[in-house]
Amino acid sequence: MAKRGIKSISSDFLVIGSGVAGLSAAIALSGSGSVVVLNKGRAMEGSSEFAQGGIAVAISEEDSIGFHLEDTLAAGRGFCREEAVKVMVEEGPDRIRDLISWGAEFDKEGGRFAFAREAAHSRERILRAKGDATGEEIVKTLLRRVSSSPEIAIFEHHFTIDLLIDNSGCRGAIVMDEPKGEIYLIKTRATIIATGGIGRVYSRTTNPSVVTGDGIAMAFRAGAELEDMEFIQFHPTSLFLPGAPPFLLSEAMRGEGAIIKNIKKEAFLSRYNPDAEMAPRDVVARAIWLEMQATGSRHVYLDLTSLDPVFIRGRFPKIYATCLQYDLDITEEMIPVSPAAHFIIGGIKTDINCATNIWGLYAAGEEACTGVHGANRLASNSLLEGLVFGSRTGEEAAKVSDKQEVVNGKLDSLARDFMSDNGEGRQESRDDSDKIINSIRRLMWDKAGIVRSKDGLDEALISIKELRTLLNKRIQTSRADLELKNILTIAQLITTTALTREGSIGAHYRSDFPDKGDRWDRHLGLRKGEVISRGGAPDTLCSPQVYWYR
Ligand code: FAD
Ligand code: SIN
């Protein structure tokens, strides 16, 4: 591998990710300098594009910012950072008005916006587009806005490998232009991570294939602080059909009257919680999991058959058409469903302006942790989070001055370190990355899923460490190997914090500690520990240090 002459380009700002958060950040940055937006696939390939239910925002006459705040705090089990929640619910209406002024069309009834109800919302406040295609409408609107700004360039199929860090902070990133097979540096004043969640760390997930936790893993390697990585939200209802992916069946379906039934075709949720179908997401997902255990089944049913077929086809056109592809007519038959990993609540720790502990490095969107979701995210708050904090991070990053001169030689040597880490003493990459990834994903589903215990988590951690040792001896320059490294890192971080939090609150449930425990109101921080040398090669996955704080 070449050790000299690494190509580099400069841009004032770098945004890694083109979902709702990354695009909002880029728009807020335009006017302040040149902006490069990277994504590792196509521009529309993250979770944002697939969002169905809608976007929660307090703009109806029956609603108020205060009610939205209260519902978010209650769903978050008193574990949210109230300051961050306030920012989101207060700034949300303006961000929606921006979208509408840029051409976004939300569904209306009788000339007024149609607001839906979802679980744990005390009011009807979910705006939607084309029934169940809200994410697509929002991303298309943001992309249109981006394309009208000559300062913003989107680079598709550019995989970000790692951040460039020198003594003063973050100076950009090392990226791989996949089609050209070229690795080069992008040097910047400020870098914003907006890479989305970690869903693909689990075998059952609603998330698309690009969602492999890269941003959190690279921030961790760079020395960023992470927070509450054990809080993974499992969506209660994803399609469970042989040969079909675990396609999401929106919570909005329950909001419209769909009922969850067990394998004996009996409604059961009221036995677990008085709010039944409208109980918070963590409660419903766990109740389904327990009912599946009790009835020896791998799925339950979502039943819409009592609703008017014309209404179903009009209200959920995308879901209806997708299920029909698998020969399932949801107006006539019950839908086999089971929970799936959906959203990471923790992530890269930021303040309310999205700054991390590293100068010049920001994070916004799903991979960031402002504390806005507490221990359990309220449905449809995530698109709003992406719009509000994406925009804020752009405004904040624009203030980063260019005064600290980039030390080019130093950065080149950082990149060369990466190259030589993949040089002598390493084995050639093999084409078994997908196989290893699948085994980690199954392991995480079985041992670090909806219900966890010390024995299972210990077992998972041993397997993860073994895989880590194996992988560390290998060259890691293909996208598959780099994603494998990131998935393994995220698996280790989730498992470590899930083991440390001996208590159950919100989305984190330990069968051996079913009560919330003494430390329920403390956050769990993580940062890179000592870099251990294994068999002569430095361990690029790094061991985590875990610490508690309020
Ligand atoms: P994403 O939209 O996931 O974007 C991530 C971007 O990062 C992508 O462009 C990707 O290519 C890029 N990227 C990742 N790694 C790299 C790398 N190494 N190098 C370069 N680029 C990289 N929330 C709601 O509020 N309402 C809903 O109705 C709703 N429905 C949902 C339905 C589904 C099926 C799913 C999966 C999620 C849903 N959510 C919903 C959650 C919400 O959509 C996401 O949390 C949110 O869209 C995340 O936005 P983001 O910008 O942070 O990330
Ligand atoms: C859904 O439509 O059920 C997903 C909503 C969300 O994840 O917020």
Side-chain angles (χ1 to χ4, degrees):
M1 180 164 297
K3 292 194 182 180
R4 264 165 227 287
I6 298 157
K7 186 178 133 185
S8 70
I9 64 165
S10 293
S11 169
D12 290 307
F13 305 103
L14 175 64
V15 180
I16 311 171
S18 64
V20 62
L23 293 173
S24 299
I27 292 166
L29 280 166
S30 65
S32 302
S34 55
V35 186
V36 167
V37 181
L38 302 176
N39 58 64
K40 66 177 177 181
R42 288 173 294 104
M44 287 188 65
E45 215 179 338
S47 294
S48 300
E49 186 206 339
F50 296 96
Q52 294 178 354
I55 183 160
V57 63
I59 54 174
S60 86
E61 277 161 22
E62 293 75 42
D63 204 357
S64 75
I65 303 284
F67 291 144
H68 193 181
L69 179 85
E70 274 171 27
D71 291 349
T72 303
L73 296 176
R77 305 290 195 285
F79 196 60
C80 303
R81 285 210 175 81
E82 191 166 338
E83 190 193 11
V85 182
K86 264 193 181 142
V87 166
M88 181 178 74
V89 296
E90 282 174 2
E91 294 182 10
D94 281 344
R95 296 295 75 79
I96 296 295
R97 284 188 267 275
D98 287 345
L99 279 181
I100 293 169
S101 74
W102 299 335
E105 287 182 14
F106 293 104
D107 292 354
K108 292 188 171 169
E109 275 162 10
R112 311 173 85 178
F113 286 124
F115 292 99
R117 169 88 58 106
E118 283 182 357
H121 286 273
S122 63
R123 299 287 184 284
E124 298 191 343
R125 68 164 67 95
I126 318 297
L127 271 185
R128 61 178 186 269
K130 298 184 180 67
D132 53 5
T134 316
E136 197 180 318
E137 177 69 9
I138 293 178
V139 175
K140 279 184 176 163
T141 304
L142 294 172
L143 278 172
R144 266 200 313 273
R145 182 76 186 171
V146 160
S147 68
S148 70
S149 171
E151 290 166 303
I152 308 174
I154 298 189
F155 293 0
E156 292 191 323
H157 302 288
H158 274 61
F159 186 94
T160 312
I161 297 171
D162 258 317
L163 299 166
L164 281 175
I165 304 287
D166 70 7
N167 291 341
S168 58
C170 181
R171 319 309 301 250
I174 308 178
V175 306
M176 174 167 57
D177 175 344
E178 263 208 276
K180 289 193 183 148
E182 204 174 66
I183 291 178
Y184 68 99
L185 311 184
I186 301 184
K187 297 174 183 174
T188 59
R189 270 156 66 182
T191 302
I192 296 171
I193 302 180
T195 49
I198 56 90
R200 304 298 283 198
V201 172
Y202 287 89
S203 53
R204 280 194 65 76
T205 179
T206 60
N207 291 190
S209 63
V210 294
V211 186
T212 53
D214 301 349
I216 298 179
M218 72 180 85
F220 173 72
R221 286 192 291 272
E225 289 181 8
L226 310 183
E227 182 170 271
D228 298 337
M229 287 289 290
E230 66 279 29
F231 289 96
I232 307 298
Q233 181 167 69
F234 294 86
H235 197 286
T237 54
S238 74
L239 188 61
F240 188 91
L241 270 184
F247 175 73
L248 183 84
L249 294 151
S250 176
E251 196 151 301
M253 298 174 106
R254 274 177 280 138
E256 299 290 359
I259 302 290
I260 295 180
K261 296 185 172 170
N262 64 17
I263 197 76
K264 296 180 214 152
K265 306 191 176 161
E266 300 160 348
F268 61 90
L269 284 176
S270 58
R271 279 197 269 116
Y272 291 86
N273 189 286
D275 289 329
E277 269 67 17
M278 298 312 274
R281 201 170 270 184
D282 56 328
V283 172
V284 178
R286 219 156 31 242
I288 292 176
W289 193 89
L290 292 172
E291 191 72 6
M292 288 180 350
Q293 308 282 309
T295 54
S297 162
R298 295 180 64 207
H299 68 83
V300 292
Y301 291 107
L302 185 67
D303 186 2
L304 284 88
T305 55
S306 64
L307 306 186
D308 175 5
V310 177
F311 169 76
I312 295 174
R313 285 192 289 268
R315 176 69 178 84
F316 302 109
K318 216 172 175 177
I319 296 175
Y320 172 76
T322 305
C323 290
L324 214 50
Q325 277 175 19
Y326 297 100
D327 216 14
L328 183 79
D329 184 340
I330 63 171
T331 64
E332 290 177 357
E333 295 164 82
M334 295 198 293
I335 315 168
V337 294
S338 116
H342 185 60
F343 183 89
I344 182 156
I345 291 170
I348 304 166
K349 184 174 185 230
T350 72
D351 64 17
I352 54 165
N353 294 318
C354 309
T356 70
N357 59 312
I358 297 176
W359 181 89
L361 182 66
Y362 298 79
E366 188 171 332
E367 80 301 320
C369 183
T370 54
V372 87
H373 303 302
N376 174 52
R377 174 176 69 98
L378 184 65
S380 291
N381 262 353
S382 174
L383 290 173
L384 191 69
E385 173 190 27
L387 286 178
V388 168
F389 289 101
S391 189
R392 275 177 92 84
T393 193
E395 280 162 21
E396 199 61 22
K399 297 178 197 157
V400 173
S401 75
D402 210 3
K403 280 193 197 116
Q404 301 204 37
E405 218 176 288
V406 174
V407 191
N408 283 323
K410 169 75 179 152
L411 290 190
D412 286 346
S413 87
L414 286 171
R416 272 199 295 274
D417 286 350
F418 166 79
M419 302 298 217
S420 56
D421 272 356
N422 281 297
E424 285 147 36
R426 298 269 179 169
Q427 297 164 0
E428 277 304 319
S429 174
R430 300 200 203 108
D431 56 8
D432 58 354
S433 295
D434 285 346
K435 207 168 126 200
I436 303 177
I437 287 176
N438 285 337
S439 73
I440 302 167
R441 297 180 66 205
R442 272 197 306 274
L443 181 77
M444 290 300 285
W445 179 254
D446 290 342
K447 311 289 180 196
I450 300 171
V451 174
R452 302 150 173 190
S453 70
K454 176 171 171 17
D455 289 351
L457 292 165
D458 274 339
E459 230 179 279
L461 210 47
I462 290 169
S463 304
I464 290 166
K465 285 181 179 164
E466 280 168 9
L467 284 169
R468 205 173 111 155
T469 310
L470 176 84
L471 180 69
N472 199 44
K473 294 185 184 141
R474 288 173 31 172
I475 290 178
Q476 296 155 10
T477 50
S478 73
R479 172 166 162 185
D481 270 349
L482 292 163
E483 285 184 341
L484 166 56
K485 176 167 85 165
N486 291 336
I487 284 178
L488 206 46
T489 303
I490 300 295
Q492 177 166 5
L493 300 177
I494 293 172
T495 312
T496 303
T497 46
L499 254 175
T500 309
R501 189 176 290 279
E502 294 182 332
S504 297
I505 171 171
H508 171 67
Y509 188 84
R510 288 275 302 259
S511 57
D512 46 352
F513 293 97
D515 299 324
K516 59 184 184 178
D518 296 343
R519 291 179 159 180
W520 72 270
D521 56 350
R522 310 250 179 105
H523 296 280
L524 205 42
L526 266 176
R527 74 164 81 87
K528 183 169 78 170
E530 207 184 332
V531 178
I532 303 161
S533 178
R534 288 169 198 268
D539 184 347
T540 51
L541 293 179
C542 313
S543 296
Q545 262 179 26
V546 188
Y547 46 95
W548 293 98
Y549 54 92
R550 264 187 213 281

